[in-house]
Amino acid sequence: MSLAMNKPEITIIGAGIGGLSAAIALQQKGLMVKVFEKGTELKETGAGIVLAANAIKVLEKLGVANQVRQAGSPVKKAEIRTSDGRLIVNMPVHKQAERYDTYSYLIYRPDLQRILYEKLTPDSVVFGKKFSGLKQEGKKVTSFFENGEMDIADLFIGADGVHSRVRKEIVEDSPLRYSGFTAFRGISYFEDDRFPVELGGGFEAWGRGKRFGFSHLGKGRVFWFAAVNMPEGTLITTEKIKSVVLQHFKGWWGPIEAVIESTEESKILVHKIFDRKPVDDWHKGRAVLLGDAAHPMLPNLGQGGAQAMEDALVLTNCLEQYPREIEKALNQYEQLRSSRTKKIVQSSRMMARMMQLENSAAIRLRNLLLRSTPDEMKIKRLDWVLGYEVQNWN
């Protein structure tokens, strides 16, 4: 019996990238899905998100890859430099594109969210519903919301991000782990002849305990980020935030100070970066986690959104394989996804330590090793991440 014939009703908490991707995948299989989002609308706030080859492959299966390519910008240039501009690495982006049949893309996160949202059937997302708890009885899961309303479903998916409220209901909660650095992110309209918009992409500059990245975003915009080592308790307010970032990157190479200056204060976001120690169990009964709610990771491999989207397809595949045995499907989903996401969480943390080095001797050694690494080796090292594709999807 197919999953569509069995017709379980499914509740998803969270209208982020993972929740919307799961809803699209499940609707493609003919299922009844409701997404509950605490926000009152899809807000035009956020920063850029990179979509590597494995993410683009998921978007192709969801039927939205062309819209994403049109709205975003291909990464056709990716340099790593020192803080004073000396080239460390010119990433082999064209060779990677040949290998995976696509460039990576950078897109404004709200644009991606809007594309996914518009792919859903009308009224699939219910806004203004803040999750407060759940209860399982037999084969039904009841969701409770702060406004006193409730929802009953056969399957419950928590896709409510790194600070997941749902997670506390499903697994023994593990504390957030501070990365050691705070991130600043900005969106601006900015031009620099060294990085023409037609080429796309951009650069990162690495210094002592700091780094800065700049890349085209599509629609004439650029996205920049800064990562600065700070003790966990350091207080950063949103007042005069531009001057704080400028102070950290005063005298750095090329367009760095200029692009920060070009950014409206209200378009600069700041937040501390966390992950969690990976766990193997993501479900309890008929309630399951997906994306950052299950496996929050540091952004250093650019895989947070991609892994949530992969989760969405694999979970749907497992439900289709076991349409009458939902808990068996959830067990299978965990087995297929936990080792991969655990490795990416761990690798992202290792990358963070390497990128945010403060010791001068260690920095010189790192830069020497990166400069001497052949392109083929750079590609091979990331093939397990970028070359992955969810199988058995039709």
Side-chain angles (χ1 to χ4, degrees), residues 199-221:
L199 189 60
F203 71 91
E204 287 190 21
W206 293 359
R208 292 183 62 183
K210 302 177 186 179
R211 60 192 168 100
F212 186 96
F214 161 107
S215 193
H216 289 286
L217 190 59
K219 299 183 179 178
R221 297 163 297 187

PDB file of all heavy atoms in Angstrom, residues 199-221:
ATOM      1  N   LEU A 199      30.372  37.626 -12.472  1.00  0.00           N
ATOM      2  CA  LEU A 199      31.133  36.431 -12.103  1.00  0.00           C
ATOM      3  C   LEU A 199      30.515  35.724 -10.906  1.00  0.00           C
ATOM      4  O   LEU A 199      30.531  34.496 -10.795  1.00  0.00           O
ATOM      5  CB  LEU A 199      32.586  36.815 -11.800  1.00  0.00           C
ATOM      6  CG  LEU A 199      33.578  35.672 -11.604  1.00  0.00           C
ATOM      7  CD1 LEU A 199      33.655  34.816 -12.861  1.00  0.00           C
ATOM      8  CD2 LEU A 199      34.969  36.229 -11.269  1.00  0.00           C
ATOM      9  N   GLY A 200      29.956  36.498 -10.001  1.00  0.00           N
ATOM     10  CA  GLY A 200      29.385  35.906  -8.789  1.00  0.00           C
ATOM     11  C   GLY A 200      30.474  35.480  -7.822  1.00  0.00           C
ATOM     12  O   GLY A 200      31.671  35.560  -8.098  1.00  0.00           O
ATOM     13  N   GLY A 201      30.063  35.015  -6.664  1.00  0.00           N
ATOM     14  CA  GLY A 201      31.028  34.565  -5.668  1.00  0.00           C
ATOM     15  C   GLY A 201      31.720  35.719  -4.978  1.00  0.00           C
ATOM     16  O   GLY A 201      31.226  36.854  -4.975  1.00  0.00           O
ATOM     17  N   GLY A 202      32.881  35.443  -4.364  1.00  0.00           N
ATOM     18  CA  GLY A 202      33.577  36.470  -3.610  1.00  0.00           C
ATOM     19  C   GLY A 202      34.818  35.915  -2.936  1.00  0.00           C
ATOM     20  O   GLY A 202      35.544  35.126  -3.530  1.00  0.00           O
ATOM     21  N   PHE A 203      35.017  36.285  -1.678  1.00  0.00           N
ATOM     22  CA  PHE A 203      36.239  35.905  -0.975  1.00  0.00           C
ATOM     23  C   PHE A 203      35.984  35.796   0.515  1.00  0.00           C
ATOM     24  O   PHE A 203      34.970  36.254   1.042  1.00  0.00           O
ATOM     25  CB  PHE A 203      37.333  36.966  -1.201  1.00  0.00           C
ATOM     26  CG  PHE A 203      37.064  38.260  -0.475  1.00  0.00           C
ATOM     27  CD1 PHE A 203      37.549  38.466   0.814  1.00  0.00           C
ATOM     28  CD2 PHE A 203      36.309  39.258  -1.067  1.00  0.00           C
ATOM     29  CE1 PHE A 203      37.292  39.644   1.501  1.00  0.00           C
ATOM     30  CE2 PHE A 203      36.044  40.444  -0.391  1.00  0.00           C
ATOM     31  CZ  PHE A 203      36.537  40.634   0.895  1.00  0.00           C
ATOM     32  N   GLU A 204      36.957  35.161   1.197  1.00  0.00           N
ATOM     33  CA  GLU A 204      37.079  35.246   2.643  1.00  0.00           C
ATOM     34  C   GLU A 204      38.477  35.749   2.958  1.00  0.00           C
ATOM     35  O   GLU A 204      39.432  35.416   2.259  1.00  0.00           O
ATOM     36  CB  GLU A 204      36.864  33.885   3.319  1.00  0.00           C
ATOM     37  CG  GLU A 204      35.431  33.419   3.326  1.00  0.00           C
ATOM     38  CD  GLU A 204      35.208  32.197   4.207  1.00  0.00           C
ATOM     39  OE1 GLU A 204      36.050  31.959   5.116  1.00  0.00           O
ATOM     40  OE2 GLU A 204      34.209  31.494   3.985  1.00  0.00           O
ATOM     41  N   ALA A 205      38.601  36.540   4.017  1.00  0.00           N
ATOM     42  CA  ALA A 205      39.902  36.977   4.520  1.00  0.00           C
ATOM     43  C   ALA A 205      40.040  36.473   5.946  1.00  0.00           C
ATOM     44  O   ALA A 205      39.134  36.668   6.764  1.00  0.00           O
ATOM     45  CB  ALA A 205      40.012  38.500   4.470  1.00  0.00           C
ATOM     46  N   TRP A 206      41.178  35.823   6.230  1.00  0.00           N
ATOM     47  CA  TRP A 206      41.393  35.215   7.545  1.00  0.00           C
ATOM     48  C   TRP A 206      42.513  35.942   8.283  1.00  0.00           C
ATOM     49  O   TRP A 206      43.612  36.131   7.751  1.00  0.00           O
ATOM     50  CB  TRP A 206      41.790  33.743   7.390  1.00  0.00           C
ATOM     51  CG  TRP A 206      40.716  32.860   6.833  1.00  0.00           C
ATOM     52  CD1 TRP A 206      39.456  33.227   6.471  1.00  0.00           C
ATOM     53  CD2 TRP A 206      40.807  31.454   6.570  1.00  0.00           C
ATOM     54  NE1 TRP A 206      38.757  32.142   5.989  1.00  0.00           N
ATOM     55  CE2 TRP A 206      39.566  31.041   6.043  1.00  0.00           C
ATOM     56  CE3 TRP A 206      41.820  30.523   6.722  1.00  0.00           C
ATOM     57  CZ2 TRP A 206      39.307  29.729   5.674  1.00  0.00           C
ATOM     58  CZ3 TRP A 206      41.566  29.213   6.345  1.00  0.00           C
ATOM     59  CH2 TRP A 206      40.319  28.821   5.838  1.00  0.00           C
ATOM     60  N   GLY A 207      42.235  36.339   9.524  1.00  0.00           N
ATOM     61  CA  GLY A 207      43.227  36.957  10.383  1.00  0.00           C
ATOM     62  C   GLY A 207      43.382  36.180  11.676  1.00  0.00           C
ATOM     63  O   GLY A 207      43.057  34.991  11.744  1.00  0.00           O
ATOM     64  N   ARG A 208      43.848  36.832  12.714  1.00  0.00           N
ATOM     65  CA  ARG A 208      44.049  36.165  14.011  1.00  0.00           C
ATOM     66  C   ARG A 208      42.748  36.184  14.802  1.00  0.00           C
ATOM     67  O   ARG A 208      42.336  37.213  15.323  1.00  0.00           O
ATOM     68  CB  ARG A 208      45.138  36.877  14.803  1.00  0.00           C
ATOM     69  CG  ARG A 208      46.529  36.734  14.204  1.00  0.00           C
ATOM     70  CD  ARG A 208      47.579  37.402  15.060  1.00  0.00           C
ATOM     71  NE  ARG A 208      47.648  36.779  16.386  1.00  0.00           N
ATOM     72  CZ  ARG A 208      48.450  37.199  17.359  1.00  0.00           C
ATOM     73  NH1 ARG A 208      49.238  38.246  17.165  1.00  0.00           N
ATOM     74  NH2 ARG A 208      48.458  36.578  18.522  1.00  0.00           N
ATOM     75  N   GLY A 209      42.076  35.021  14.835  1.00  0.00           N
ATOM     76  CA  GLY A 209      40.824  34.909  15.572  1.00  0.00           C
ATOM     77  C   GLY A 209      39.675  35.647  14.936  1.00  0.00           C
ATOM     78  O   GLY A 209      38.631  35.843  15.569  1.00  0.00           O
ATOM     79  N   LYS A 210      39.838  36.043  13.682  1.00  0.00           N
ATOM     80  CA  LYS A 210      38.792  36.773  12.969  1.00  0.00           C
ATOM     81  C   LYS A 210      38.810  36.372  11.502  1.00  0.00           C
ATOM     82  O   LYS A 210      39.850  36.034  10.954  1.00  0.00           O
ATOM     83  CB  LYS A 210      39.025  38.294  13.032  1.00  0.00           C
ATOM     84  CG  LYS A 210      39.090  38.903  14.407  1.00  0.00           C
ATOM     85  CD  LYS A 210      39.396  40.393  14.303  1.00  0.00           C
ATOM     86  CE  LYS A 210      39.627  41.020  15.671  1.00  0.00           C
ATOM     87  NZ  LYS A 210      39.952  42.462  15.563  1.00  0.00           N
ATOM     88  N   ARG A 211      37.658  36.449  10.879  1.00  0.00           N
ATOM     89  CA  ARG A 211      37.611  36.291   9.431  1.00  0.00           C
ATOM     90  C   ARG A 211      36.424  37.050   8.879  1.00  0.00           C
ATOM     91  O   ARG A 211      35.443  37.316   9.598  1.00  0.00           O
ATOM     92  CB  ARG A 211      37.574  34.816   9.003  1.00  0.00           C
ATOM     93  CG  ARG A 211      36.410  34.032   9.500  1.00  0.00           C
ATOM     94  CD  ARG A 211      36.640  32.533   9.275  1.00  0.00           C
ATOM     95  NE  ARG A 211      35.656  31.767   9.999  1.00  0.00           N
ATOM     96  CZ  ARG A 211      34.552  31.237   9.436  1.00  0.00           C
ATOM     97  NH1 ARG A 211      34.347  31.397   8.144  1.00  0.00           N
ATOM     98  NH2 ARG A 211      33.710  30.556  10.160  1.00  0.00           N
ATOM     99  N   PHE A 212      36.514  37.389   7.620  1.00  0.00           N
ATOM    100  CA  PHE A 212      35.475  38.182   6.961  1.00  0.00           C
ATOM    101  C   PHE A 212      35.199  37.571   5.604  1.00  0.00           C
ATOM    102  O   PHE A 212      36.129  37.213   4.870  1.00  0.00           O
ATOM    103  CB  PHE A 212      35.939  39.632   6.800  1.00  0.00           C
ATOM    104  CG  PHE A 212      34.879  40.559   6.269  1.00  0.00           C
ATOM    105  CD1 PHE A 212      34.117  41.319   7.140  1.00  0.00           C
ATOM    106  CD2 PHE A 212      34.643  40.662   4.902  1.00  0.00           C
ATOM    107  CE1 PHE A 212      33.128  42.173   6.656  1.00  0.00           C
ATOM    108  CE2 PHE A 212      33.653  41.503   4.411  1.00  0.00           C
ATOM    109  CZ  PHE A 212      32.900  42.266   5.296  1.00  0.00           C
ATOM    110  N   GLY A 213      33.922  37.453   5.253  1.00  0.00           N
ATOM    111  CA  GLY A 213      33.541  36.907   3.959  1.00  0.00           C
ATOM    112  C   GLY A 213      32.605  37.833   3.222  1.00  0.00           C
ATOM    113  O   GLY A 213      31.798  38.551   3.835  1.00  0.00           O
ATOM    114  N   PHE A 214      32.696  37.811   1.909  1.00  0.00           N
ATOM    115  CA  PHE A 214      31.934  38.725   1.033  1.00  0.00           C
ATOM    116  C   PHE A 214      31.540  37.950  -0.210  1.00  0.00           C
ATOM    117  O   PHE A 214      32.388  37.268  -0.799  1.00  0.00           O
ATOM    118  CB  PHE A 214      32.846  39.909   0.704  1.00  0.00           C
ATOM    119  CG  PHE A 214      32.462  40.742  -0.497  1.00  0.00           C
ATOM    120  CD1 PHE A 214      31.936  42.009  -0.314  1.00  0.00           C
ATOM    121  CD2 PHE A 214      32.663  40.288  -1.797  1.00  0.00           C
ATOM    122  CE1 PHE A 214      31.616  42.817  -1.411  1.00  0.00           C
ATOM    123  CE2 PHE A 214      32.334  41.076  -2.890  1.00  0.00           C
ATOM    124  CZ  PHE A 214      31.813  42.347  -2.693  1.00  0.00           C
ATOM    125  N   SER A 215      30.271  38.022  -0.621  1.00  0.00           N
ATOM    126  CA  SER A 215      29.856  37.296  -1.817  1.00  0.00           C
ATOM    127  C   SER A 215      28.604  37.919  -2.408  1.00  0.00           C
ATOM    128  O   SER A 215      27.773  38.501  -1.689  1.00  0.00           O
ATOM    129  CB  SER A 215      29.588  35.824  -1.484  1.00  0.00           C
ATOM    130  OG  SER A 215      29.477  35.052  -2.659  1.00  0.00           O
ATOM    131  N   HIS A 216      28.469  37.797  -3.719  1.00  0.00           N
ATOM    132  CA  HIS A 216      27.253  38.272  -4.386  1.00  0.00           C
ATOM    133  C   HIS A 216      26.069  37.386  -4.007  1.00  0.00           C
ATOM    134  O   HIS A 216      26.197  36.172  -3.834  1.00  0.00           O
ATOM    135  CB  HIS A 216      27.451  38.271  -5.899  1.00  0.00           C
ATOM    136  CG  HIS A 216      28.383  39.341  -6.370  1.00  0.00           C
ATOM    137  ND1 HIS A 216      28.037  40.669  -6.415  1.00  0.00           N
ATOM    138  CD2 HIS A 216      29.677  39.277  -6.778  1.00  0.00           C
ATOM    139  CE1 HIS A 216      29.060  41.382  -6.844  1.00  0.00           C
ATOM    140  NE2 HIS A 216      30.073  40.564  -7.070  1.00  0.00           N
ATOM    141  N   LEU A 217      24.906  38.041  -3.951  1.00  0.00           N
ATOM    142  CA  LEU A 217      23.714  37.387  -3.419  1.00  0.00           C
ATOM    143  C   LEU A 217      22.590  37.278  -4.434  1.00  0.00           C
ATOM    144  O   LEU A 217      21.624  36.564  -4.221  1.00  0.00           O
ATOM    145  CB  LEU A 217      23.239  38.181  -2.186  1.00  0.00           C
ATOM    146  CG  LEU A 217      22.166  37.619  -1.291  1.00  0.00           C
ATOM    147  CD1 LEU A 217      22.607  36.269  -0.716  1.00  0.00           C
ATOM    148  CD2 LEU A 217      21.869  38.581  -0.147  1.00  0.00           C
ATOM    149  N   GLY A 218      22.697  37.995  -5.539  1.00  0.00           N
ATOM    150  CA  GLY A 218      21.605  38.060  -6.500  1.00  0.00           C
ATOM    151  C   GLY A 218      20.818  39.344  -6.331  1.00  0.00           C
ATOM    152  O   GLY A 218      20.791  39.953  -5.253  1.00  0.00           O
ATOM    153  N   LYS A 219      20.189  39.810  -7.435  1.00  0.00           N
ATOM    154  CA  LYS A 219      19.374  41.027  -7.425  1.00  0.00           C
ATOM    155  C   LYS A 219      20.185  42.254  -7.014  1.00  0.00           C
ATOM    156  O   LYS A 219      19.671  43.168  -6.362  1.00  0.00           O
ATOM    157  CB  LYS A 219      18.150  40.857  -6.516  1.00  0.00           C
ATOM    158  CG  LYS A 219      17.217  39.730  -6.945  1.00  0.00           C
ATOM    159  CD  LYS A 219      15.990  39.645  -6.055  1.00  0.00           C
ATOM    160  CE  LYS A 219      15.066  38.524  -6.506  1.00  0.00           C
ATOM    161  NZ  LYS A 219      13.875  38.381  -5.619  1.00  0.00           N
ATOM    162  N   GLY A 220      21.478  42.257  -7.365  1.00  0.00           N
ATOM    163  CA  GLY A 220      22.314  43.412  -7.112  1.00  0.00           C
ATOM    164  C   GLY A 220      22.843  43.552  -5.697  1.00  0.00           C
ATOM    165  O   GLY A 220      23.524  44.534  -5.383  1.00  0.00           O
ATOM    166  N   ARG A 221      22.559  42.588  -4.846  1.00  0.00           N
ATOM    167  CA  ARG A 221      22.978  42.687  -3.447  1.00  0.00           C
ATOM    168  C   ARG A 221      24.235  41.864  -3.194  1.00  0.00           C
ATOM    169  O   ARG A 221      24.547  40.936  -3.931  1.00  0.00           O
ATOM    170  CB  ARG A 221      21.864  42.177  -2.514  1.00  0.00           C
ATOM    171  CG  ARG A 221      20.582  42.972  -2.563  1.00  0.00           C
ATOM    172  CD  ARG A 221      19.423  42.223  -1.959  1.00  0.00           C
ATOM    173  NE  ARG A 221      19.126  41.005  -2.713  1.00  0.00           N
ATOM    174  CZ  ARG A 221      18.076  40.231  -2.477  1.00  0.00           C
ATOM    175  NH1 ARG A 221      17.244  40.529  -1.508  1.00  0.00           N
ATOM    176  NH2 ARG A 221      17.870  39.153  -3.196  1.00  0.00           N
TER     177      ARG A 221
END
